[in-house]
Amino acid sequence: MKTLIAANWKMHGDLSWADKPAEFRGIYPKDKSGVECLICPPSFLLPALVKQGEENEILVGAQNCHAETSGAFTGEISAPMIAGLGATHVIVGHSERRSLFGETDDDVSAKAEAALNANIIPIICIGESEAERRAEKELDVATMQLANSIPDCAKGANFVVAYEPVWAIGTGLTPTLADIRVMHNHIRGLLTDRFGQKHGANIQILYGGSVKPGNAEEILAIDNVNGALIGGASLDMESFAAIAMAA
Ligand code: 13P
């Protein structure tokens, strides 16, 4: 399985950011066949980034999609539109979408299904809140979120799971390495239970939440951590490349 190093730029950037894949490749050479790099920019940058991504061997994905293919949904973008641009992935169920835009597990499942129907890979995000972690409910939360956010049509390795504890996002806090190991083993067990050993073992499980050049190597070395989903540290190509290098 390849290691996926994914940038989530959130609502940052302007048109000049289309040059970032080339900047990235200037720092990080293309010789690591076991590492896939992905940038998920705001939607307006997708066409320019796909073009630059092809030239620089960087995958490009969206940060969200609507569950319907088209219709009267002002401000939304559909999975076939994203696929038509040449993007390969779409993040669904990011905790900011869940908490700020009220998305439920059912919504996330419908969006992931739309992505699969459009032949793009959904990155299905899960993760507990600070209160849930304090109450030692994080494994139960992950079990429920995974059970309900992965659509019935998902088969084997056509999707990615990202574990992002809400309290670790943008805070500089991370779980201990032992806690990340426990969670990722738990997620792997849930995936092999549902999809069988052959498929479940090949689903990439990303860790996200305050990944930085300084902690990437030790996090990426943990069993069943198959990549990272990076916010703040992915906005600067020096630090994004340093994280890819750590993989
Ligand atoms: P930070 O890396 O800024 O903590 O954000 C993580 C994240 O939300 C990626 O999707």
Side-chain angles (χ1 to χ4, degrees):
M1 188 191 327
K2 290 194 171 179
T3 301
L4 178 61
I5 302 298
N8 174 9
W9 283 356
K10 309 191 180 184
M11 199 171 72
H12 296 285
D14 58 36
L15 282 178
S16 72
W17 287 38
D19 295 336
K20 291 210 179 236
E23 185 187 338
F24 175 84
R25 278 301 174 208
I27 307 165
Y28 176 74
K30 294 183 196 173
D31 60 359
K32 279 206 166 183
S33 55
V35 180
E36 297 177 305
C37 297
L38 169 74
I39 296 178
C40 300
S43 299
F44 80 98
L45 272 169
L46 282 170
L49 259 261
V50 166
K51 185 166 175 293
Q52 289 294 318
E54 275 164 10
E55 287 168 18
N56 293 286
E57 287 178 36
I58 292 178
L59 301 170
V60 174
Q63 297 175 11
N64 180 35
C65 67
H66 197 274
E68 298 294 330
T69 53
S70 65
F73 303 106
T74 301
E76 293 289 315
I77 185 167
S78 75
M81 292 171 183
I82 295 164
L85 289 171
T88 53
H89 291 69
V90 60
I91 299 169
V92 293
H94 190 279
S95 75
E96 287 148 21
R97 300 292 320 171
R98 290 175 184 264
S99 67
L100 302 173
F101 300 92
E103 291 184 9
T104 64
D105 286 341
D106 285 348
D107 296 326
V108 177
S109 173
K111 287 170 183 236
E113 182 167 346
L116 291 169
N117 288 337
N119 284 320
I120 49 179
I121 299 168
I123 300 175
I124 300 171
C125 300
I126 61 164
E128 81 284 357
S129 67
E130 189 180 2
E132 289 163 340
R133 168 67 65 165
R134 247 190 275 115
E136 298 179 12
K137 293 261 187 289
E138 66 276 5
L139 297 181
D140 294 339
V141 170
T143 302
M144 288 303 293
Q145 286 184 331
L146 261 196
N148 297 325
S149 301
I150 300 176
D152 290 340
C153 68
K155 294 186 211 56
N158 55 356
F159 64 94
V160 175
V161 172
Y163 167 61
E164 298 203 307
V166 177
W167 53 273
I169 295 177
T171 57
L173 303 171
T174 56
T176 64
L177 299 179
D179 285 344
I180 296 174
R181 181 176 298 107
V182 168
M183 177 58 80
H184 279 242
N185 283 343
H186 177 70
I187 294 169
R188 179 67 69 207
L190 294 169
L191 293 172
T192 51
D193 281 352
R194 178 157 165 189
F195 296 99
Q197 185 61 32
K198 181 166 163 267
H199 291 306
N202 283 311
I203 297 167
Q204 289 166 320
I205 307 172
L206 313 184
Y207 169 79
S210 296
V211 176
K212 306 259 179 295
N215 62 16
E217 193 169 346
E218 57 190 14
I219 291 174
L220 289 165
I222 298 170
D223 276 354
N224 290 312
V225 174
N226 313 116
L229 184 56
I230 307 137
S234 75
L235 303 177
D236 171 66
M237 289 304 102
E238 293 270 355
S239 68
F240 186 48
I243 293 168
M245 229 98 78

